[in-house]
Structures are given as C-alpha cells and as structure tokens.
Amino acid sequence: MASTLHVALRGNLACNERLHLLRKPQQVLYENMVKFIDDLNISEEEKQKWRTAANQFRLPYWDWARKQPYTQDYGIPQICTQTTWLVAQPGTNGKTILIENPLTGFSNPKRNGENQRVPMGDKSMGANAIKDDDNLPWSRCVGTSRYGIIADVPPSTWVNGVNNWQYSNAAIANPPWYDGHPPPLQSSTFSDAVSRMFTPNYFDSWEAFSSTAHDNPRKNTNYMSLEYIHNIIHNGTGGLYLSKADIPESPVGFTGIGIGHMSDPTVASFDPIFWLHHCNVDRLCALWQVLNWSMWFNKPSDGDPASSDPLLPFHYDTRNSNWTSDKCRDWRHGNYQYDDLKDMPPGNPTPEYQATLRSRIKALYPSTSAAVAHSPGFTLQDNTFHDYIINVVYDRYALNGKAYSILFYIGEPTVDFSAAKTDPHFLGSVYTFGAPVLSADGETTCDNCGRQKAAKKLSKAQIPLTLPLIRRVQPISTGAFGIPATPLGPLDPHAVERVLDIGLKWYFIELGGRRADASEFPNTEIAVLKGEGQHPVEGHVMPRYGKYKKLRLATENKRLGFGHHVGPNDLIGDDLDV
C-alpha cells in the first residue's frame, strides 16, 4: 500500500458531528525522529542516511474496501498480524534485529516498582487512568486486544492484549452469499458502499457525505456517509460480544466472541490499527474532495461547528495558534499526497482530471451497477435497473450513548448473532460507535454528547440491498430462506416487496452482547426504498442513483419499520423527484 504523512482525526468521533480534518499532528513525530537521529553517536554520513529515511517516513493507510494480497480476501493488513519485525539499527552496518511488532498492539509503557507494566486504569496513571464503560473492562487492560477480551475466562489470558486477527478478518470479509454462486460478484459490501459515495450527486453537501447526523433529508442517497462505514470497520476490527455464555460452537470455526479496543471510541486510538484506518478515512475524504471541490460545510445545521472554529487543542506554532478545518482543507498543504492522486496538477482540479480520477475509482471499487451488468438472468432496461436500499434513522443515545449494532437478515438467523457475518442470511449492519454519556457515578463524559442527547439528535445509515437480492434470490426463486418461490425477473419491485415482507428481519445487539428489545429504541425508523440506478457506458462516467420511493409492505409488519402502527413513521420520506 502507498503511504501518507498524516493522521486523519475527526472532532468528537463518537458525537455525531460533521467531519473535521486535522491532517498534520505527527509533524511532532517527525521532529522527534530527527532529534533522535541528531543525538545518535554515529558518523555524519550515516546520520544523513537516517535523515533521508525519516524524510520518506509515511503512515500507511489501510484500504479495507480492497482485498488483502496475503489472503486474497478482505481483512486487516498483514503487517498487523505479524508478531515480530526485522529492523535495522543505527551504527551496526545494516545488521538487523528482531523486535516486537508495534502494529500488533499497544502496551502501557508505565511500570510499577517491580518493573511490571501496570493496567491502564491503575491509580499510578493519575488523571490518565482509564475508567470502565459499564461492563467493559478497559481499566484492567495492560495491552490492546482485537476479539480478545472474554468475560468467561480468567483475565490473565487477556489483560496483556490478544491479537485475534483471524476473527477481525472474518468479520470484515464478505458474507458467504457473495461467493455462493458463479460468477463472482463484481463488487463487495465495502467497495459497493465506497463506490456509491463517489457517484455524482449521491450527496448534496459535505455534511451529508461526512456525518451520520440526520437532518431530515429528502434525498435518500444522503443516508450513506463516510462516518457510517468508518463505524462498521471499528466494530469489525474490535468485536461485539464480551461473553461466550450460551453461544454454541460455530460450524465454521468463527464464533465472534471477544471484544477489543477498536469497538469503543473511548479507547479505540490505543490500537495502532486505528491510525491506519483513519489514514484511509482521510484518503477517501481527499478523493471525494477532488470530485466535489466546491462542497465544504455548504449545508450546516443550527448549532453545527463552523469550518473556521479552532480544533482544540491542536496548534501549528509556538503561539498556540489552533488548527481549523479551513486551514487543513487542502491536504497538499501538509506536504503529502496519495498514490491515487500523485498525478494531480497544482491548484483546483480540472474537469479532465476529475474524469481521470473517476475512471480510477471505478476500477478500484466496483459498483452495484457493475454487478448488475455482469449477473446472468438480469437485464438492463435502457441502461437502468431497479436499485434497493435500507435507510435507517436511529438514536445513538438510546442506551445512554453506549454502542450497539443493528443486524439485518433475509430469513431467520442460522448461527448465533456473534457470528452473523458467516450467516448466509445476513445482509449488513449499523454500528453506532458510541460511549455512555453519563458515567457510573453520574458525571457527564462528553459535553457535546450530552447536548445532542438533550436535543434528541438522531443519526442515519444506509445498507445497499441490490447485491444480496441479486445473489440470494435469483431471477426465479426456488424457495430460498423459507420464502415461497417468487419470480423476480429483473428485481421486480412488487415481487421484491413481497419477499422482504416475509423475510426481512432486524435485531439490536448492545456492545458486550446483550440482545436489546426494539422497545428500547422508540425513535428508530427503518424503511426499504426502491430507486433507479443508471449504468454508465463510458469508462470515466460513474453510475447514478435516484428516484427512491418507500416500499411500505416490506416493513409495515415489523416493529420500528415504516408503516408499522408503533414508531415515528415520518423520519424517512420519498425523494422529491418521485
């Protein structure tokens, strides 16, 4: 993978805010490297070699929407799976030594009088001591974990950190139905979502693209967002289930048991993979900005921070002058560039360059349109096709802000919810990536979260539905998922609506594994919508999506579904052009 000299940080990641970019905090890291080199007791000639290496240092990005070469599947980077590295040392004439891989996990460097690393919640940590969120035992951890913390086993097995990367890979990989029937689909769950973000007019504002904040949009493509995808990656990398009690052994060897730091915003950044993930968030922002150069804080809502507001506490000089989103809007001012944009000319992007970039993105992230065009039995009508999505409005503060997941299925689950990604009936999920607004002792943990909760701010998400319909319900269904055989033709909306009326189901799972009842989420609304997709012919032209209209029958018999007698029923509307 190519690299970047930056870290992407978003103001108040758990707070449903607009995306703010801070793109140069590791300038300090670079300066520390240079000082370290200057202080080495080696020749000036060798110092210059190390300075050159420091100048070329970049933080790599993890593109989770592309397959990993070492598995030919989706998952975490191979470098984050290896326990040791061979590295060169200064002053040894190029000799290498074996060290612990710092990207496997982080361990608290603070030690006690017996030279043992202390837990992150130890009293000796002072004001930096981590407190537990509800039943999540972050305070007892010495090191970070991925699917490693399990309540039913002795803490000694996980306090120092467990890198169960195979589970992370299983959770990020495509559901089994993607590869269930030849030919392979020309897309994936994440590449489809990323592709949609880059299609023309999918969003009408920077706010809609960047944030899950729901502002009653009457444009249904606005329900997708970079933050929504970002949240799912956090959960897929860390884990959802704390306890293995009453969880049967999975026939496929993946139980999904164990949680990790990436799933909780209060501790996620301790895991080194957090930074690789956020590098990719910033990269995707840069790509989107090139294609939508004029969209920048163009539709703010009341109370939204301005692009000129200071990004505390980060400053760029010794006078404590704070960074703002405006100041770091153009990533190139940070003296770095992405491999995807290395041929970008100076100044604002030209239409010609934008066309070149669209062709590049189409090749990187195959779309629903590409999958439809290459699926046997389905025909494009005047280069258009029926496109289906699930739009969700949810209250991220419903459980006092604690994170939860909404799991969607066609048909009954066949394995435990903890292993949902291996279930042939699994469709997709929403993850809130939140933390409790009030601590156990009643203190407000996040002022902004408290304000949003008091103002009853809601969030939005979108699960593309066309690909699973294509793969799972072929043109003539033979009764899959216990659903009566239904002729679907080219995804006929009446037939699809009947199939979803019978088969569509959703479940709420709190971080830790508790199954929550739908009654705990009174401000949630879920709707299935049918729209129109336009398949492009020219290489630089991307698909287009629009004209979405709710399919009432698909959800009206399900609690919190649009049309049900219990629920808001007014949060999701049809597109204005329908």
Short mmCIF file of all heavy atoms in Angstrom, two decimals, residues 353-412:
data_model
loop_
_atom_site.label_atom_id
_atom_site.label_comp_id
_atom_site.label_asym_id
_atom_site.label_seq_id
_atom_site.Cartn_x
_atom_site.Cartn_y
_atom_site.Cartn_z
N TYR A 353 -9.13 16.18 -15.15
CA TYR A 353 -8.53 15.35 -14.11
C TYR A 353 -9.60 14.61 -13.31
O TYR A 353 -9.42 13.46 -12.92
CB TYR A 353 -7.66 16.17 -13.16
CG TYR A 353 -6.95 15.29 -12.16
CD1 TYR A 353 -5.85 14.53 -12.55
CD2 TYR A 353 -7.42 15.15 -10.85
CE1 TYR A 353 -5.23 13.67 -11.67
CE2 TYR A 353 -6.80 14.30 -9.96
CZ TYR A 353 -5.70 13.57 -10.37
OH TYR A 353 -5.09 12.70 -9.50
N GLN A 354 -10.72 15.27 -13.08
CA GLN A 354 -11.81 14.60 -12.37
C GLN A 354 -12.30 13.39 -13.15
O GLN A 354 -12.61 12.35 -12.56
CB GLN A 354 -12.96 15.59 -12.13
CG GLN A 354 -12.63 16.66 -11.10
CD GLN A 354 -13.72 17.70 -10.97
OE1 GLN A 354 -14.35 18.09 -11.97
NE2 GLN A 354 -13.97 18.18 -9.76
N ALA A 355 -12.35 13.48 -14.47
CA ALA A 355 -12.75 12.34 -15.29
C ALA A 355 -11.74 11.21 -15.16
O ALA A 355 -12.11 10.02 -15.08
CB ALA A 355 -12.90 12.77 -16.76
N THR A 356 -10.45 11.55 -15.13
CA THR A 356 -9.41 10.54 -14.94
C THR A 356 -9.56 9.85 -13.61
O THR A 356 -9.45 8.61 -13.50
CB THR A 356 -8.02 11.19 -15.04
OG1 THR A 356 -7.85 11.76 -16.34
CG2 THR A 356 -6.91 10.17 -14.80
N LEU A 357 -9.84 10.63 -12.56
CA LEU A 357 -9.99 10.05 -11.23
C LEU A 357 -11.23 9.15 -11.16
O LEU A 357 -11.19 8.09 -10.51
CB LEU A 357 -10.06 11.16 -10.19
CG LEU A 357 -10.20 10.69 -8.73
CD1 LEU A 357 -9.02 9.80 -8.33
CD2 LEU A 357 -10.29 11.90 -7.79
N ARG A 358 -12.30 9.54 -11.79
CA ARG A 358 -13.50 8.69 -11.78
C ARG A 358 -13.20 7.32 -12.40
O ARG A 358 -13.66 6.29 -11.89
CB ARG A 358 -14.64 9.38 -12.52
CG ARG A 358 -15.23 10.57 -11.79
CD ARG A 358 -16.49 11.08 -12.46
NE ARG A 358 -16.91 12.35 -11.88
CZ ARG A 358 -16.66 13.54 -12.42
NH1 ARG A 358 -16.00 13.61 -13.57
NH2 ARG A 358 -17.06 14.63 -11.82
N SER A 359 -12.47 7.30 -13.50
CA SER A 359 -12.10 6.02 -14.12
C SER A 359 -11.28 5.18 -13.16
O SER A 359 -11.45 3.96 -13.06
CB SER A 359 -11.31 6.27 -15.41
OG SER A 359 -12.10 6.95 -16.36
N ARG A 360 -10.39 5.83 -12.44
CA ARG A 360 -9.53 5.12 -11.48
C ARG A 360 -10.37 4.55 -10.35
O ARG A 360 -10.18 3.40 -9.92
CB ARG A 360 -8.49 6.11 -10.95
CG ARG A 360 -7.31 5.50 -10.24
CD ARG A 360 -6.26 6.59 -10.01
NE ARG A 360 -5.69 7.04 -11.28
CZ ARG A 360 -5.05 8.20 -11.44
NH1 ARG A 360 -4.91 9.03 -10.42
NH2 ARG A 360 -4.55 8.52 -12.62
N ILE A 361 -11.32 5.34 -9.84
CA ILE A 361 -12.16 4.88 -8.74
C ILE A 361 -13.06 3.73 -9.19
O ILE A 361 -13.28 2.77 -8.44
CB ILE A 361 -12.99 6.06 -8.19
CG1 ILE A 361 -12.08 7.04 -7.45
CG2 ILE A 361 -14.10 5.57 -7.27
CD1 ILE A 361 -12.76 8.32 -7.02
N LYS A 362 -13.57 3.81 -10.40
CA LYS A 362 -14.42 2.72 -10.91
C LYS A 362 -13.66 1.40 -10.93
O LYS A 362 -14.23 0.34 -10.65
CB LYS A 362 -14.92 3.05 -12.32
CG LYS A 362 -16.08 4.02 -12.37
CD LYS A 362 -16.55 4.25 -13.79
CE LYS A 362 -17.12 3.00 -14.40
NZ LYS A 362 -17.65 3.24 -15.76
N ALA A 363 -12.37 1.46 -11.27
CA ALA A 363 -11.57 0.24 -11.30
C ALA A 363 -11.25 -0.26 -9.89
O ALA A 363 -11.21 -1.48 -9.65
CB ALA A 363 -10.27 0.49 -12.08
N LEU A 364 -11.04 0.66 -8.96
CA LEU A 364 -10.70 0.27 -7.59
C LEU A 364 -11.89 -0.30 -6.84
O LEU A 364 -11.76 -1.27 -6.09
CB LEU A 364 -10.17 1.49 -6.81
CG LEU A 364 -8.77 1.99 -7.13
CD1 LEU A 364 -8.47 3.25 -6.32
CD2 LEU A 364 -7.73 0.93 -6.83
N TYR A 365 -13.07 0.30 -7.05
CA TYR A 365 -14.25 -0.04 -6.25
C TYR A 365 -15.43 -0.36 -7.16
O TYR A 365 -16.25 0.52 -7.46
CB TYR A 365 -14.59 1.12 -5.31
CG TYR A 365 -13.44 1.56 -4.45
CD1 TYR A 365 -12.88 2.83 -4.60
CD2 TYR A 365 -12.89 0.71 -3.51
CE1 TYR A 365 -11.80 3.24 -3.82
CE2 TYR A 365 -11.82 1.10 -2.72
CZ TYR A 365 -11.28 2.36 -2.88
OH TYR A 365 -10.22 2.75 -2.11
N PRO A 366 -15.53 -1.61 -7.62
CA PRO A 366 -16.66 -1.99 -8.48
C PRO A 366 -17.99 -1.71 -7.79
O PRO A 366 -18.14 -1.89 -6.58
CB PRO A 366 -16.44 -3.48 -8.70
CG PRO A 366 -14.98 -3.69 -8.49
CD PRO A 366 -14.58 -2.72 -7.42
N SER A 367 -18.97 -1.30 -8.57
CA SER A 367 -20.23 -0.82 -8.04
C SER A 367 -21.34 -1.84 -8.18
O SER A 367 -21.19 -2.89 -8.82
CB SER A 367 -20.63 0.46 -8.79
OG SER A 367 -20.86 0.15 -10.15
N THR A 368 -22.49 -1.52 -7.58
CA THR A 368 -23.70 -2.30 -7.81
C THR A 368 -24.01 -2.37 -9.30
O THR A 368 -24.40 -3.42 -9.82
CB THR A 368 -24.88 -1.66 -7.06
OG1 THR A 368 -24.71 -1.84 -5.66
CG2 THR A 368 -26.20 -2.30 -7.48
N SER A 369 -23.81 -1.26 -9.98
CA SER A 369 -24.08 -1.20 -11.41
C SER A 369 -23.26 -2.25 -12.17
O SER A 369 -23.78 -2.96 -13.03
CB SER A 369 -23.74 0.20 -11.94
OG SER A 369 -23.78 0.25 -13.34
N ALA A 370 -21.96 -2.38 -11.82
CA ALA A 370 -21.11 -3.37 -12.49
C ALA A 370 -21.59 -4.78 -12.19
O ALA A 370 -21.58 -5.66 -13.06
CB ALA A 370 -19.66 -3.19 -12.05
N ALA A 371 -22.03 -5.02 -10.94
CA ALA A 371 -22.51 -6.35 -10.58
C ALA A 371 -23.78 -6.71 -11.33
O ALA A 371 -23.96 -7.83 -11.80
CB ALA A 371 -22.74 -6.41 -9.07
N VAL A 372 -24.70 -5.75 -11.44
CA VAL A 372 -25.95 -5.99 -12.17
C VAL A 372 -25.65 -6.31 -13.63
O VAL A 372 -26.21 -7.24 -14.21
CB VAL A 372 -26.88 -4.77 -12.06
CG1 VAL A 372 -28.06 -4.89 -13.01
CG2 VAL A 372 -27.38 -4.61 -10.63
N ALA A 373 -24.76 -5.53 -14.22
CA ALA A 373 -24.47 -5.69 -15.65
C ALA A 373 -23.85 -7.05 -15.96
O ALA A 373 -23.97 -7.54 -17.10
CB ALA A 373 -23.55 -4.57 -16.12
N HIS A 374 -23.19 -7.68 -14.97
CA HIS A 374 -22.50 -8.95 -15.22
C HIS A 374 -23.20 -10.13 -14.55
O HIS A 374 -22.62 -11.21 -14.46
CB HIS A 374 -21.06 -8.87 -14.72
CG HIS A 374 -20.21 -7.90 -15.49
ND1 HIS A 374 -20.09 -6.57 -15.17
CD2 HIS A 374 -19.45 -8.08 -16.60
CE1 HIS A 374 -19.29 -5.97 -16.01
NE2 HIS A 374 -18.88 -6.86 -16.90
N SER A 375 -24.42 -9.94 -14.08
CA SER A 375 -25.14 -11.03 -13.43
C SER A 375 -26.06 -11.74 -14.43
O SER A 375 -26.88 -11.09 -15.08
CB SER A 375 -25.97 -10.50 -12.25
OG SER A 375 -25.14 -10.02 -11.23
N PRO A 376 -25.92 -13.06 -14.57
CA PRO A 376 -26.76 -13.78 -15.52
C PRO A 376 -28.22 -13.75 -15.11
O PRO A 376 -28.56 -13.83 -13.93
CB PRO A 376 -26.20 -15.21 -15.45
CG PRO A 376 -25.55 -15.30 -14.11
CD PRO A 376 -25.02 -13.94 -13.82
N GLY A 377 -29.08 -13.59 -16.10
CA GLY A 377 -30.51 -13.60 -15.84
C GLY A 377 -31.11 -12.24 -15.58
O GLY A 377 -32.32 -12.10 -15.52
N PHE A 378 -30.26 -11.23 -15.41
CA PHE A 378 -30.75 -9.88 -15.16
C PHE A 378 -30.36 -8.99 -16.35
O PHE A 378 -29.22 -9.01 -16.80
CB PHE A 378 -30.17 -9.30 -13.87
CG PHE A 378 -30.64 -10.01 -12.64
CD1 PHE A 378 -29.94 -11.10 -12.15
CD2 PHE A 378 -31.81 -9.63 -12.00
CE1 PHE A 378 -30.38 -11.77 -11.02
CE2 PHE A 378 -32.25 -10.29 -10.87
CZ PHE A 378 -31.53 -11.37 -10.39
N THR A 379 -31.30 -8.25 -16.81
CA THR A 379 -31.06 -7.42 -17.99
C THR A 379 -31.28 -5.95 -17.64
O THR A 379 -32.17 -5.60 -16.86
CB THR A 379 -32.01 -7.81 -19.13
OG1 THR A 379 -33.36 -7.71 -18.68
CG2 THR A 379 -31.74 -9.23 -19.60
N LEU A 380 -30.42 -5.10 -18.21
CA LEU A 380 -30.58 -3.67 -18.06
C LEU A 380 -31.63 -3.18 -19.05
O LEU A 380 -31.64 -3.62 -20.20
CB LEU A 380 -29.25 -2.96 -18.32
CG LEU A 380 -28.13 -3.25 -17.33
CD1 LEU A 380 -26.82 -2.68 -17.85
CD2 LEU A 380 -28.45 -2.64 -15.97
N GLN A 381 -32.50 -2.32 -18.63
CA GLN A 381 -33.52 -1.74 -19.49
C GLN A 381 -33.16 -0.29 -19.76
O GLN A 381 -33.24 0.55 -18.86
CB GLN A 381 -34.89 -1.86 -18.82
CG GLN A 381 -35.29 -3.30 -18.54
CD GLN A 381 -36.57 -3.41 -17.72
OE1 GLN A 381 -37.02 -2.45 -17.12
NE2 GLN A 381 -37.16 -4.60 -17.72
N ASP A 382 -32.70 -0.03 -20.98
CA ASP A 382 -32.21 1.31 -21.33
C ASP A 382 -31.11 1.74 -20.37
O ASP A 382 -31.04 2.90 -19.94
CB ASP A 382 -33.35 2.33 -21.31
CG ASP A 382 -34.43 2.00 -22.34
OD1 ASP A 382 -34.08 1.52 -23.43
OD2 ASP A 382 -35.61 2.22 -22.03
N ASN A 383 -30.23 0.78 -20.04
CA ASN A 383 -29.10 1.02 -19.13
C ASN A 383 -29.53 1.48 -17.74
O ASN A 383 -28.79 2.15 -17.04
CB ASN A 383 -28.12 2.04 -19.73
CG ASN A 383 -27.26 1.43 -20.82
OD1 ASN A 383 -26.87 0.27 -20.72
ND2 ASN A 383 -26.99 2.19 -21.86
N THR A 384 -30.73 1.10 -17.34
CA THR A 384 -31.18 1.39 -15.98
C THR A 384 -31.57 0.08 -15.29
O THR A 384 -31.82 -0.94 -15.95
CB THR A 384 -32.38 2.35 -15.95
OG1 THR A 384 -33.51 1.71 -16.56
CG2 THR A 384 -32.05 3.64 -16.68
N PHE A 385 -31.62 0.10 -13.98
CA PHE A 385 -32.01 -1.08 -13.21
C PHE A 385 -32.66 -0.62 -11.91
O PHE A 385 -32.46 0.52 -11.47
CB PHE A 385 -30.80 -1.97 -12.91
CG PHE A 385 -29.70 -1.30 -12.14
CD1 PHE A 385 -29.64 -1.36 -10.75
CD2 PHE A 385 -28.71 -0.58 -12.80
CE1 PHE A 385 -28.64 -0.73 -10.03
CE2 PHE A 385 -27.69 0.05 -12.10
CZ PHE A 385 -27.65 -0.02 -10.71
N HIS A 386 -33.44 -1.51 -11.31
CA HIS A 386 -34.04 -1.22 -10.01
C HIS A 386 -32.96 -1.35 -8.94
O HIS A 386 -32.25 -2.36 -8.87
CB HIS A 386 -35.17 -2.19 -9.70
CG HIS A 386 -36.33 -2.10 -10.65
ND1 HIS A 386 -36.98 -0.92 -10.93
CD2 HIS A 386 -36.97 -3.07 -11.38
CE1 HIS A 386 -37.95 -1.15 -11.80
NE2 HIS A 386 -37.97 -2.44 -12.08
N ASP A 387 -32.84 -0.33 -8.10
CA ASP A 387 -31.87 -0.36 -7.01
C ASP A 387 -32.63 -0.29 -5.68
O ASP A 387 -33.59 0.47 -5.54
CB ASP A 387 -30.90 0.82 -7.11
CG ASP A 387 -29.82 0.74 -6.06
OD1 ASP A 387 -29.10 -0.27 -6.04
OD2 ASP A 387 -29.70 1.69 -5.26
N TYR A 388 -32.17 -1.10 -4.71
CA TYR A 388 -32.85 -1.18 -3.42
C TYR A 388 -31.89 -0.83 -2.29
O TYR A 388 -30.72 -1.24 -2.30
CB TYR A 388 -33.42 -2.59 -3.21
CG TYR A 388 -34.49 -2.94 -4.22
CD1 TYR A 388 -34.15 -3.52 -5.44
CD2 TYR A 388 -35.83 -2.66 -3.96
CE1 TYR A 388 -35.13 -3.82 -6.39
CE2 TYR A 388 -36.81 -2.96 -4.90
CZ TYR A 388 -36.45 -3.54 -6.10
OH TYR A 388 -37.42 -3.82 -7.04
N ILE A 389 -32.39 -0.10 -1.32
CA ILE A 389 -31.61 0.28 -0.16
C ILE A 389 -32.46 0.17 1.10
O ILE A 389 -33.69 0.23 1.03
CB ILE A 389 -31.05 1.73 -0.27
CG1 ILE A 389 -32.20 2.72 -0.50
CG2 ILE A 389 -30.01 1.83 -1.38
CD1 ILE A 389 -31.76 4.19 -0.56
N ILE A 390 -31.80 -0.02 2.23
CA ILE A 390 -32.44 0.10 3.54
C ILE A 390 -31.92 1.38 4.16
O ILE A 390 -30.71 1.52 4.37
CB ILE A 390 -32.12 -1.09 4.46
CG1 ILE A 390 -32.60 -2.41 3.85
CG2 ILE A 390 -32.76 -0.89 5.83
CD1 ILE A 390 -32.18 -3.64 4.65
N ASN A 391 -32.80 2.32 4.44
CA ASN A 391 -32.42 3.53 5.14
C ASN A 391 -32.88 3.44 6.60
O ASN A 391 -33.99 2.97 6.88
CB ASN A 391 -33.03 4.78 4.48
CG ASN A 391 -32.20 5.23 3.29
OD1 ASN A 391 -31.13 4.69 3.00
ND2 ASN A 391 -32.69 6.24 2.58
N VAL A 392 -32.00 3.89 7.48
CA VAL A 392 -32.24 3.76 8.92
C VAL A 392 -32.05 5.11 9.59
O VAL A 392 -31.05 5.80 9.34
CB VAL A 392 -31.28 2.74 9.55
CG1 VAL A 392 -31.60 2.55 11.04
CG2 VAL A 392 -31.35 1.40 8.81
N VAL A 393 -33.00 5.50 10.41
CA VAL A 393 -32.83 6.62 11.34
C VAL A 393 -32.80 6.01 12.74
O VAL A 393 -33.69 5.25 13.11
CB VAL A 393 -33.97 7.64 11.23
CG1 VAL A 393 -33.81 8.73 12.27
CG2 VAL A 393 -34.01 8.25 9.84
N TYR A 394 -31.75 6.33 13.49
CA TYR A 394 -31.60 5.71 14.81
C TYR A 394 -31.14 6.74 15.83
O TYR A 394 -30.61 7.80 15.49
CB TYR A 394 -30.61 4.54 14.76
CG TYR A 394 -29.20 4.91 14.36
CD1 TYR A 394 -28.23 5.19 15.31
CD2 TYR A 394 -28.83 4.98 13.01
CE1 TYR A 394 -26.94 5.54 14.96
CE2 TYR A 394 -27.54 5.32 12.64
CZ TYR A 394 -26.60 5.59 13.61
OH TYR A 394 -25.31 5.93 13.24
N ASP A 395 -31.33 6.40 17.09
CA ASP A 395 -30.93 7.25 18.21
C ASP A 395 -29.68 6.65 18.84
O ASP A 395 -29.75 5.64 19.53
CB ASP A 395 -32.07 7.32 19.24
CG ASP A 395 -31.74 8.22 20.42
OD1 ASP A 395 -30.63 8.80 20.44
OD2 ASP A 395 -32.58 8.32 21.33
N ARG A 396 -28.53 7.26 18.57
CA ARG A 396 -27.29 6.71 19.10
C ARG A 396 -27.20 6.84 20.61
O ARG A 396 -26.36 6.21 21.26
CB ARG A 396 -26.08 7.38 18.43
CG ARG A 396 -25.85 8.81 18.84
CD ARG A 396 -24.74 9.44 18.02
NE ARG A 396 -23.53 8.66 18.03
CZ ARG A 396 -22.66 8.60 17.02
NH1 ARG A 396 -22.88 9.28 15.92
NH2 ARG A 396 -21.57 7.87 17.11
N TYR A 397 -28.08 7.64 21.21
CA TYR A 397 -28.07 7.82 22.66
C TYR A 397 -29.16 7.01 23.34
O TYR A 397 -29.45 7.22 24.53
CB TYR A 397 -28.23 9.31 22.99
CG TYR A 397 -27.17 10.15 22.33
CD1 TYR A 397 -27.49 11.03 21.30
CD2 TYR A 397 -25.84 10.05 22.72
CE1 TYR A 397 -26.50 11.79 20.68
CE2 TYR A 397 -24.85 10.79 22.10
CZ TYR A 397 -25.19 11.66 21.07
OH TYR A 397 -24.21 12.40 20.46
N ALA A 398 -29.76 6.08 22.62
CA ALA A 398 -30.88 5.31 23.18
C ALA A 398 -30.48 4.54 24.42
O ALA A 398 -31.26 4.40 25.36
CB ALA A 398 -31.44 4.36 22.12
N LEU A 399 -29.27 4.00 24.45
CA LEU A 399 -28.79 3.22 25.59
C LEU A 399 -27.79 4.05 26.40
O LEU A 399 -26.71 3.60 26.74
CB LEU A 399 -28.13 1.92 25.10
CG LEU A 399 -29.00 1.01 24.24
CD1 LEU A 399 -28.22 -0.23 23.80
CD2 LEU A 399 -30.27 0.60 24.98
N ASN A 400 -28.17 5.30 26.67
CA ASN A 400 -27.29 6.26 27.34
C ASN A 400 -26.03 6.52 26.51
O ASN A 400 -25.00 6.92 27.04
CB ASN A 400 -26.91 5.78 28.74
CG ASN A 400 -26.09 6.80 29.52
OD1 ASN A 400 -26.31 8.01 29.41
ND2 ASN A 400 -25.11 6.32 30.28
N GLY A 401 -26.10 6.27 25.22
CA GLY A 401 -24.96 6.51 24.35
C GLY A 401 -24.09 5.30 24.12
O GLY A 401 -23.21 5.32 23.24
N LYS A 402 -24.28 4.22 24.88
CA LYS A 402 -23.46 3.03 24.71
C LYS A 402 -23.67 2.45 23.32
O LYS A 402 -24.77 2.44 22.78
CB LYS A 402 -23.80 1.99 25.77
CG LYS A 402 -22.87 0.77 25.74
CD LYS A 402 -23.17 -0.20 26.88
CE LYS A 402 -22.23 -1.40 26.83
NZ LYS A 402 -22.50 -2.36 27.91
N ALA A 403 -22.60 1.96 22.72
CA ALA A 403 -22.65 1.46 21.35
C ALA A 403 -23.55 0.24 21.23
O ALA A 403 -23.65 -0.59 22.14
CB ALA A 403 -21.24 1.11 20.86
N TYR A 404 -24.20 0.16 20.09
CA TYR A 404 -24.99 -1.03 19.77
C TYR A 404 -24.99 -1.23 18.25
O TYR A 404 -24.66 -0.32 17.49
CB TYR A 404 -26.42 -0.94 20.30
CG TYR A 404 -27.25 0.19 19.75
CD1 TYR A 404 -28.04 0.02 18.61
CD2 TYR A 404 -27.29 1.44 20.38
CE1 TYR A 404 -28.82 1.06 18.11
CE2 TYR A 404 -28.07 2.47 19.90
CZ TYR A 404 -28.83 2.28 18.75
OH TYR A 404 -29.61 3.30 18.25
N SER A 405 -25.36 -2.44 17.87
CA SER A 405 -25.40 -2.79 16.45
C SER A 405 -26.82 -3.20 16.08
O SER A 405 -27.54 -3.78 16.90
CB SER A 405 -24.42 -3.94 16.17
OG SER A 405 -24.35 -4.22 14.79
N ILE A 406 -27.23 -2.87 14.86
CA ILE A 406 -28.49 -3.36 14.31
C ILE A 406 -28.12 -4.33 13.19
O ILE A 406 -27.48 -3.94 12.21
CB ILE A 406 -29.36 -2.22 13.75
CG1 ILE A 406 -29.48 -1.07 14.75
CG2 ILE A 406 -30.76 -2.76 13.38
CD1 ILE A 406 -30.23 0.14 14.20
N LEU A 407 -28.50 -5.58 13.35
CA LEU A 407 -28.17 -6.63 12.39
C LEU A 407 -29.38 -6.91 11.50
O LEU A 407 -30.49 -7.10 12.01
CB LEU A 407 -27.75 -7.91 13.11
CG LEU A 407 -26.64 -7.77 14.17
CD1 LEU A 407 -26.35 -9.13 14.79
CD2 LEU A 407 -25.38 -7.18 13.56
N PHE A 408 -29.17 -6.97 10.19
CA PHE A 408 -30.25 -7.19 9.24
C PHE A 408 -30.08 -8.53 8.53
O PHE A 408 -28.96 -8.91 8.16
CB PHE A 408 -30.28 -6.06 8.20
CG PHE A 408 -30.71 -4.73 8.74
CD1 PHE A 408 -29.79 -3.88 9.36
CD2 PHE A 408 -32.03 -4.34 8.67
CE1 PHE A 408 -30.19 -2.66 9.88
CE2 PHE A 408 -32.44 -3.12 9.19
CZ PHE A 408 -31.51 -2.28 9.80
N TYR A 409 -31.22 -9.22 8.34
CA TYR A 409 -31.22 -10.53 7.71
C TYR A 409 -32.36 -10.63 6.70
O TYR A 409 -33.37 -9.92 6.82
CB TYR A 409 -31.43 -11.64 8.74
CG TYR A 409 -30.33 -11.81 9.77
CD1 TYR A 409 -30.23 -10.94 10.85
CD2 TYR A 409 -29.41 -12.84 9.66
CE1 TYR A 409 -29.23 -11.09 11.80
CE2 TYR A 409 -28.41 -13.00 10.60
CZ TYR A 409 -28.32 -12.13 11.66
OH TYR A 409 -27.33 -12.28 12.59
N ILE A 410 -32.20 -11.54 5.73
CA ILE A 410 -33.33 -12.06 4.97
C ILE A 410 -33.51 -13.50 5.41
O ILE A 410 -32.66 -14.35 5.14
CB ILE A 410 -33.10 -12.01 3.45
CG1 ILE A 410 -32.99 -10.58 2.95
CG2 ILE A 410 -34.26 -12.70 2.72
CD1 ILE A 410 -32.84 -10.46 1.45
N GLY A 411 -34.59 -13.78 6.11
CA GLY A 411 -34.79 -15.10 6.68
C GLY A 411 -34.28 -15.15 8.11
O GLY A 411 -33.64 -14.22 8.61
N GLU A 412 -34.56 -16.24 8.79
CA GLU A 412 -34.15 -16.41 10.17
C GLU A 412 -32.63 -16.60 10.26
O GLU A 412 -32.03 -17.26 9.41
CB GLU A 412 -34.85 -17.63 10.79
CG GLU A 412 -36.36 -17.51 10.88
CD GLU A 412 -36.79 -16.50 11.93
OE1 GLU A 412 -35.95 -16.14 12.79
OE2 GLU A 412 -37.96 -16.08 11.90
#
